[in-house]
Amino acid sequence: MKHQRKNRTLGRDRDEREALMRGLATSLIEHGKIITTTAKAKELRPMVEKMITAAKTDTVASRRKVRTALGGDRMLKKLFADIAPKYKERAGGYTRIVKMGQRSGREEAVIELV
């Protein structure tokens, strides 16, 4: 039974899925916009939005929390210095998912920072 299982598995085990989400989050922070499948975009959105919300308060604790979610320091400075201050007055809804249609048998989408 699938009670209490709210996240998509994306056809991967837990470690692979976490690595995939970290890579997608890093790419989204780096480029501001990425093309992926709709399912991956829908799983990525809450992760990135929580990171941006944590980055809005620039404290040591929030930096450690975001560093853990990103898996390193690569995009940490860009997130805290460039992206988070841009959304200081915004109360959530930092990303947008735009569906692009079928491609290679799967639904593709663009996820971008608003």
Side-chain angles (χ1 to χ4, degrees):
M1 286 184 262
K2 296 180 80 175
H3 300 301
Q4 302 285 323
R5 294 181 183 234
K6 59 184 178 182
N7 296 336
R8 294 170 180 84
T9 60
L10 304 173
R12 294 163 170 85
D13 62 15
R14 193 183 99 213
D15 293 336
E16 291 175 3
R17 193 169 50 251
E18 285 177 2
L20 173 71
M21 288 295 119
R22 281 185 180 137
L24 288 173
T26 302
S27 295
L28 182 61
I29 291 167
E30 184 177 3
H31 301 292
K33 173 176 163 179
I34 57 172
I35 299 173
T36 184
T37 64
T38 305
K40 289 176 191 172
K42 286 180 178 181
E43 282 299 306
L44 181 63
R45 173 186 271 182
M47 181 181 173
V48 171
E49 295 210 357
K50 287 174 187 170
M51 278 193 262
I52 293 172
T53 302
K56 283 167 55 174
T57 59
D58 192 1
T59 62
V60 175
S62 63
R63 282 185 176 270
R64 288 178 179 166
K65 183 177 181 181
V66 172
R67 183 183 296 132
T68 303
L70 279 179
D73 295 332
R74 190 167 156 220
M75 288 292 121
L76 197 66
K77 287 182 183 177
K78 182 171 183 179
L79 180 63
F80 276 87
D82 300 337
I83 296 173
K86 192 167 75 169
Y87 299 115
K88 204 67 165 170
E89 300 299 317
R90 192 175 181 104
Y94 314 115
T95 59
R96 173 187 304 137
I97 296 175
V98 180
K99 293 182 181 178
M100 295 175 50
Q102 291 279 333
R103 189 166 167 195
S104 301
R106 60 185 167 259
E107 185 78 24
E108 292 233 328
V110 173
I111 182 167
E112 58 189 355
L113 297 173
V114 178

